[in-house]
């Protein structure tokens, strides 16, 4: 449920900024994912992973994972869509919206795994 809320909030903001306000792909995706990230940290820490990781330890790790996942997912999705559309003629809007959808899937999966195993992991290490 947390992932659905984060994704919907992020995508609504991204598509609004991209298609209505006409901001760039990178500004729109960054703003949407930033909003989703704030929701994600609180809800995932409290509900999804029921974590007791301190804010001092968790927040820097969370921000690191968010940034790595964001740039990796949206860079790869943009390049994939550009490559795909080299075979087909589509509008820039279709290209960008396709990249957003693919990027959001890649981001959601990688972000979940990063948060589960790196940010909110409470397993004690030696």
């Amino acid at each position: 449920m947390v992932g659905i809320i984060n994704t919907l909030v992020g995508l609504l903001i991204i598509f609004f900024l991209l298609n209505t306000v006409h901001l760039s792909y990178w500004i729109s995706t960054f703003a949407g994912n930033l909003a989703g990230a704030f929701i994600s940290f609180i809800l995932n820490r409290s509900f999804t992973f029921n974590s007791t990781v301190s804010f001092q330890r968790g927040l820097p790790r969370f921000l690191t994972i968010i940034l790595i996942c964001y740039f990796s997912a949206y860079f790869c999705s943009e390049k994939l869509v550009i490559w795909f559309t080299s075979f087909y003629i589509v509008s820039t809007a279709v290209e960008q919206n396709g990249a957003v959808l693919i990027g959001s899937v890649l981001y959601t999966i990688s972000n979940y795994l990063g948060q589960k195993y790196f940010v909110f992991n409470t397993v004690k290490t030696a």
Side-chain angles (χ1 to χ4, degrees), residues 56-77:
Q56 293 80 10
R57 179 174 174 249
L59 193 56
R61 288 176 175 220
F62 177 81
L63 293 174
T64 300
I65 290 298
I66 289 291
L67 290 173
I68 290 170
C69 293
Y70 167 74
F71 284 111
S72 300
Y74 286 95
F75 176 81
C76 289
S77 68

Side-chain angles (χ1 to χ4, degrees), residues 62-120:
F62 177 81
L63 293 174
T64 300
I65 290 298
I66 289 291
L67 290 173
I68 290 170
C69 293
Y70 167 74
F71 284 111
S72 300
Y74 286 95
F75 176 81
C76 289
S77 68
E78 181 184 44
K79 296 303 177 193
L80 179 64
V81 169
I82 288 170
W83 172 80
F84 180 77
T85 58
S86 69
F87 302 107
Y88 303 97
I89 299 172
V90 297
S91 70
T92 302
V94 170
E95 188 176 271
Q96 289 180 337
N97 286 305
V100 166
L101 290 174
I102 293 168
S104 70
V105 170
L106 296 173
Y107 173 84
T108 299
I109 293 167
S110 60
N111 182 45
Y112 173 81
L113 294 171
Q115 287 189 40
K116 180 176 182 173
Y117 294 109
F118 184 68
V119 178
F120 298 117

Side-chain angles (χ1 to χ4, degrees), residues 45-56:
R45 183 177 186 274
S46 302
F47 299 108
T48 305
F49 303 116
N50 197 21
S51 178
T52 57
V53 171
S54 69
F55 280 96
Q56 293 80 10

